[in-house]
Amino acid sequence: MNRPMRMSPTLALAEAVDRERRNGREAYSFSTPTFESLNPEILSRIRFRTTLTGSKGYGELREAARELLFDKWRLSDHECMISGGAKAAIFSILRACVEPGEKVLIISPHWPSYEDLATAAHLVPLSFATSSETGFAIEPSKLRSALEQCGPKAVICSNPGNPTGRVLSRREVASLCEATSNTGAVLLLDESFSRIVFDRERWTNSVCDAGSNVFVVNSFSKNFHLQGLRLGACMVPGEYFSAVASTHQTLLSSAPTLSQDLALGILDSSDLPNCDYSFQRQIVLEFLSSRGWRYSEPHGSFYVFPYVGGSDKIRDKLETGGIMTLPGCVFGSRYSEHLRICFGKPLSEINAILRLARIALG
């Protein structure tokens, strides 16, 4: 229960890139996104406030979140809360709804923060591994077996997946909802990339009737390229809302007012951040194919998680050429031969990275 908190591997990667650049070397991250700055005209039109909002967040922003981030769901028995980023929402849900010492099953490969958030909430994180050989699909029978054998009180799954970019099928979402309901576990679906989707039909179909054990988390930070604002939203079943909101209020009082004001200003403008990475995705997948790296085609997010084989040597070669990457083991111990590749970048940067990567790898 006293497992130490880890430093974020993604922030460590950003620091490594910055260090190389300060030393005068051309360097890039091939595993994390690069977002262009907001149009200054948007900022000039926003009225920033410095007083605290209510614990739920601005009413108009909650309505916007329901419409823009949770539009595929019918969650009439859920309330919407604006949070200080997706992390704060996930922690608040786990801390408020699961007793200390209980287990949390994390669908893997997974965002490493899930483990740390579970540990911070005094819970025990366990991994439910999926395989690239089956396209990272969740097999319902294996899921039911894991729930029965391990007895977790919560299950966490990202959709679209981070790092895989995979969108769950309707069958998988239904099996997650049914299996957790039958075993009395909380289901936490992290949909932080809901607006960055390439297969819209698959995305709109990846939904089912959500019971009172289902929580859905989303992110303005990811979907509108506002990572530094730490702004998220979550749909919480009514019976749990007071406990989750109280936990979040204990952490932050409320989501930062300046961040909420900026999000409202962006949503009210006609100049929303560009979330179409179709072309960047295409040329990165062509590069992966040219290297013979096996991958499952990403349906959403701006990540792909190829099996590369000999990943340590490949990472060393890339780093020698100025390209920094995250090893697959960051996303689960079984994925050491994978790399998380990110195409959420301006096209000019993608081209520069691929140029250096081709030179480094030969």
Side-chain angles (χ1 to χ4, degrees):
M1 296 299 292
N2 292 320
R3 173 184 166 189
M5 296 293 99
R6 300 175 296 180
M7 295 295 291
S8 165
T10 54
L11 293 181
L13 186 67
E15 291 172 0
V17 171
D18 181 64
R19 184 166 55 249
E20 290 295 303
R21 290 176 175 176
R22 282 189 282 107
N23 289 332
R25 186 180 179 205
E26 187 177 16
Y28 300 94
S29 165
F30 204 6
S31 291
T32 54
T34 303
F35 299 139
E36 297 178 345
S37 299
L38 289 174
N39 186 333
E41 292 184 7
I42 296 177
L43 298 177
S44 68
R45 296 195 299 266
I46 296 173
R47 180 173 66 90
F48 290 105
R49 291 161 281 190
T50 57
T51 55
L52 282 173
T53 70
S55 60
K56 299 179 183 180
Y58 285 139
E60 58 266 46
L61 191 56
R62 293 166 62 210
E63 292 177 7
R66 277 185 174 272
E67 180 179 346
L68 292 172
L69 302 181
F70 304 107
D71 53 310
K72 72 173 184 176
W73 289 95
R74 294 188 300 276
L75 300 169
S76 57
D77 295 328
H78 289 55
E79 288 195 58
C80 182
M81 184 184 79
I82 303 301
S83 63
K87 284 185 179 181
I90 293 168
F91 174 83
S92 297
I93 292 166
L94 292 175
R95 188 68 183 88
C97 303
V98 185
E99 291 294 324
E102 295 288 1
K103 300 170 183 174
V104 178
L105 192 67
I106 302 171
I107 308 299
S108 300
H110 60 271
W111 184 35
S113 290
Y114 293 152
E115 290 181 51
D116 298 323
L117 291 166
T119 301
H122 302 293
L123 306 174
V124 181
L126 303 174
S127 176
F128 177 85
T130 61
S131 171
S132 61
E133 295 178 353
T134 59
F136 302 109
I138 301 172
E139 175 54 48
S141 62
K142 292 182 179 179
L143 175 66
R144 290 192 296 269
S145 177
L147 288 170
E148 292 169 0
Q149 292 177 14
C150 302
K153 293 302 181 182
V155 175
I156 305 178
C157 184
S158 59
N159 185 36
N162 176 4
T164 64
R166 185 175 186 274
V167 170
L168 300 176
S169 67
R170 178 191 289 268
R171 176 172 177 260
E172 288 171 302
V173 175
S175 67
L176 282 165
C177 290
E178 181 181 3
T180 52
S181 178
N182 289 342
T183 57
V186 164
L187 173 60
L188 200 161
L189 291 171
D190 180 0
E191 297 191 342
S192 290
F193 298 91
S194 61
R195 289 176 56 83
I196 309 172
V197 172
F198 306 101
D199 188 336
R200 295 305 306 182
E201 182 177 0
R202 184 180 177 94
W203 171 250
T204 55
N205 286 335
S206 65
V207 67
C208 68
D209 292 332
S212 60
N213 69 312
V214 178
F215 298 72
V216 188
V217 173
N218 214 308
S219 171
F220 291 97
S221 302
K222 292 290 192 301
N223 282 308
F224 297 101
H225 302 349
L226 305 171
Q227 286 178 304
L229 296 187
R230 315 314 305 152
L231 192 65
C234 56
M235 296 297 291
V236 179
E239 64 185 275
Y240 293 105
F241 188 81
S242 178
V244 172
S246 296
T247 303
H248 184 264
Q249 190 176 53
T250 300
L251 287 172
L252 297 170
S253 294
S254 67
T257 305
L258 296 177
S259 298
Q260 295 190 63
D261 284 331
L262 183 52
L264 282 172
I266 291 173
L267 297 179
D268 287 341
S269 77
S270 59
D271 191 14
L272 293 175
N274 177 30
C275 295
D276 184 4
Y277 294 107
S278 299
F279 191 61
Q280 288 94 322
R281 170 179 176 267
Q282 177 185 338
I283 62 175
V284 165
L285 295 184
E286 289 174 354
F287 169 78
L288 300 183
S289 296
S290 72
R291 303 300 312 179
W293 295 350
R294 188 178 75 238
Y295 64 87
S296 296
E297 186 170 335
H299 309 122
S301 81
F302 32 64
Y303 298 123
V304 60
F305 198 54
Y307 178 92
V308 300
S311 62
D312 288 342
K313 291 181 179 180
I314 288 172
R315 292 186 67 239
D316 287 344
K317 288 182 178 180
L318 288 172
E319 186 169 341
T320 299
I323 306 299
M324 312 294 184
T325 57
L326 287 173
C329 60
V330 166
F331 305 94
S333 60
R334 298 191 181 188
Y335 306 101
S336 60
E337 294 304 307
H338 292 256
L339 295 178
R340 187 178 80 171
I341 301 298
C342 178
F343 49 84
K345 299 172 176 292
L347 183 58
S348 59
E349 184 174 339
I350 290 289
N351 286 330
I353 289 172
L354 296 182
R355 173 180 57 81
L356 291 177
R358 289 186 180 101
I359 294 172
L361 296 174

